[in-house]
Amino acid sequence: MNVSEKHAFRFSESFFGRVALAIIGKPSVAAVVYRPSPWALAHATFYGDETASETMGGACGYGNLFSNGYGIDTAALSTTLFNNGFACGTCYQIKCVKSPWCYSGVQFTTVTATNLCPPNWAKDTNNGGWCNPPRVHFDMSKPAFMKIAQWKAGIVPIMYRRVPCIRRGGLRFYFQGNGYWLLVYAMNVGGGGDIAKMWVKGSKTGWISMSHNWGASYQAFATLTGQSLSFKITSYTSKETIICWNVAPANWNVGLTYKSNVNFH
């Protein structure tokens, strides 16, 4: 057993559950099992129509939510929850409570945070300014809202909790920028769903720290053309770090999405 493998078999406890280290490719990486948070009170509204077309794009930068795997079960978060974009990709169970508009027999629906619900300072927090700080609020896609309540309600009280994001396959990286500036959107993030830090490594470089640009995007001001690229990512919530080796080949290009074979849990 080599040194990295010996370090791999450590166990510890965290708020989010038991942490077991496993070996995935090279080097050893932590496999943290994300645990749901307690239930809390908030309110929910909706935006757009039944097609969810108005939810495309958004402040997280996920673009077309259908082709990128997020679908119609999404929500825009109030400023307090959005956390300057670090909450992009987080997942929530939401159930309608204490309202005649709630659908009976519906336990909850699950949504992914893909957008920001901006404050409306011209209105009171209890009369239209639903997303004003410090209010916790979910502006759901209309199809997602209609799973828990009648849309005519407009706004309903809810219970919500953070839950693990269940994603198929590994993390995906959508490239923008140019040969001297790489802008990467990290998508399909499992586990806590969020990202705190990212690094990129070219086949001819060491690890280069990437700065948070906006939403779910990170940037590196470096010349990386002609090199295969690997990424190291730390979860904002669980603090787990995983490495995605050789995600993009040496002839990578902007405008394309590259897939890894590892993910958070």
Side-chain angles (χ1 to χ4, degrees):
M1 181 179 292
N2 61 37
V3 174
S4 64
E5 289 173 332
K6 289 180 180 178
H7 285 308
F9 290 93
R10 294 182 293 114
F11 293 87
S12 62
E13 294 288 340
S14 74
F15 175 80
F16 303 101
R18 185 174 297 274
V19 179
L21 300 193
I23 300 173
I24 304 176
K26 60 172 187 177
S28 305
V29 294
V32 177
V33 178
Y34 180 81
R35 303 298 184 190
S37 72
W39 290 96
L41 283 167
H43 284 78
T45 49
F46 67 87
Y47 70 112
D49 58 21
E50 286 85 348
T51 67
S53 59
E54 291 185 31
T55 67
M56 299 300 107
C60 290
Y62 293 137
N64 188 311
L65 301 180
F66 296 115
S67 60
N68 287 323
Y70 295 101
I72 60 176
D73 293 324
T74 63
L77 305 182
S78 61
T79 304
T80 299
L81 283 175
F82 192 68
N83 191 22
N84 294 318
F86 287 107
C88 286
T90 52
C91 298
Y92 302 84
Q93 287 177 347
I94 297 177
K95 55 184 176 182
C96 181
V97 296
K98 299 179 181 179
S99 170
W101 299 103
C102 297
Y103 286 131
S104 60
V106 177
Q107 289 188 324
F108 56 78
T109 191
T110 304
V111 297
T112 302
T114 59
N115 205 352
L116 167 69
C117 180
N120 184 347
W121 302 113
K123 295 186 177 182
D124 183 80
T125 57
N126 290 317
N127 186 25
W130 312 122
C131 292
N132 296 357
R135 190 169 184 135
V136 175
H137 190 85
F138 294 82
D139 200 17
M140 304 170 67
S141 71
K142 190 173 182 179
F145 185 91
M146 291 172 64
K147 290 182 178 180
I148 60 170
Q150 298 181 51
W151 68 267
K152 293 181 180 179
I155 180 171
V156 292
I158 62 165
M159 296 287 289
Y160 77 96
R161 67 173 180 172
R162 281 276 305 276
V163 293
C165 296
I166 309 301
R167 304 295 182 204
R168 288 187 176 182
L171 278 79
R172 302 174 189 169
F173 302 88
Y174 174 64
F175 287 14
Q176 285 291 335
N178 52 50
Y180 309 97
W181 170 60
L182 179 64
L183 181 67
V184 178
Y185 294 85
M187 300 181 291
N188 201 51
V189 182
D194 49 15
I195 292 176
K197 297 178 182 178
M198 275 183 59
W199 295 261
V200 61
K201 183 185 184 305
S203 51
K204 301 176 183 178
T205 74
W207 287 108
I208 299 169
S209 179
M210 305 180 75
S211 58
H212 184 220
N213 186 290
W214 63 284
S217 68
Y218 287 76
Q219 61 190 359
F221 295 91
T223 303
L224 295 167
T225 52
Q227 301 181 56
S228 59
L229 302 182
S230 302
F231 293 93
K232 181 166 61 174
I233 306 99
T234 297
S235 166
Y236 189 92
T237 302
S238 70
K239 313 305 180 187
E240 176 189 8
T241 297
I242 62 176
I243 297 178
C244 305
W245 290 102
N246 300 317
V247 171
N251 63 344
W252 61 266
N253 211 334
V254 298
L256 298 179
T257 299
Y258 297 93
K259 300 178 181 180
S260 73
N261 60 0
V262 295
N263 211 328
F264 297 100
H265 301 283

